Amino acid sequence: MTPDRLDRFARHIVLPEVGGAGQVRLAGAHVVLVGMGGIGNPALQYLAGAGIGALTLIDDDVIEASNLQRQTLFMPADMGRAKAHVAAEWAARFDPVLKVVPQVVRIGADNANGLLTGADVVLDGSDNFATRLAVADACVRLGVPLTSAALGRFQGQVANFAGHLPDEACYRCFVGDAFDATDCDTCADLGVLGAMVGMVGAFAAMQALRVVLAGASTLGDPQWGRLQLIDGLAPSMRALRIAKDPACRTCGGLSQ
Ligand SMILES: [Zn+2]
């Protein structure tokens, strides 16, 4: 690492749980973010801040006035522009060393393989089940770990999945098959507090960093299948263990 990179990441490197080896791992990692909305915004900020070397930002949506209450990278002047482009421009200004690629496309079963190939981890902060399941299924096929983050009102859910491994659950083991056709925008229906998505998005970045650091430093414990339920009203956080479903149509055939 060059002296200016050592300076930039000094507060990481001094942490025994990250260290120099961890920082080198982060610099060599490629994270794909699905959804540049309320969860994707803070997740991008903290992943870019952490020095993740390559970031792909996938979102086909444009910025609207009602996004500004929680999607803190976006300014009023950005309204009507693609979220992925504006977020990528922010990242390029924030750290010109990072490789950031915006993808203004809707990810689905037809194109997920191509968009996610080569990722070290996919962080899904999208807002509907159809996208989530398409992304999760592709991650299992490709052998790519998934950090899944979602929220409804004041309840957040964040977990790392590795359904490609024989004994670990995938996202479909957790939610089942009932939601492939649903395409609901929960924020529009139910309302959402900006600080709550910030908390969930920042926590999702933390969990994705655990995946990237696996084998490089002690923070690298991915805690596969451990779903963290975040109650923003109480506030509190508790963990549930998601078991692999032997009958799961995505990963069940992979169990031993
Ligand atoms: Zn599964």
Side-chain angles (χ1 to χ4, degrees), residues 6 18 30 63 75-76 78 94-95 147 151 166 233 248 251 254:
L6 287 170
V18 179
H30 176 200
I63 296 160
M75 302 291 154
D78 300 321
F94 177 73
D95 186 352
T147 299
L151 100 157
L233 275 183
C248 173
C251 77
L254 302 173

Side-chain angles (χ1 to χ4, degrees), residues 140 163 168-174 244-245 248-252:
V140 173
E168 302 298 345
C170 78
Y171 179 73
R172 189 180 288 278
C173 293
F174 168 42
K244 195 176 190 78
D245 176 2
C248 173
R249 79 171 198 226
T250 300
C251 77

Side-chain angles (χ1 to χ4, degrees), residues 209-235:
L209 291 175
R210 289 179 181 274
V211 175
V212 172
L213 290 172
S217 69
T218 58
L219 186 62
D221 171 9
Q223 304 179 340
W224 303 128
R226 209 171 143 81
L227 182 78
Q228 299 288 350
L229 297 169
I230 302 158
D231 180 339
L233 275 183

Side-chain angles (χ1 to χ4, degrees), residues 68-93:
L68 301 179
Q69 156 260 22
R70 66 192 179 283
Q71 299 177 20
T72 54
L73 288 174
F74 305 144
M75 302 291 154
D78 300 321
M79 282 193 281
R81 297 190 62 213
K83 291 182 181 182
H85 280 155
V86 175
E89 287 171 10
W90 172 86
R93 286 195 305 275

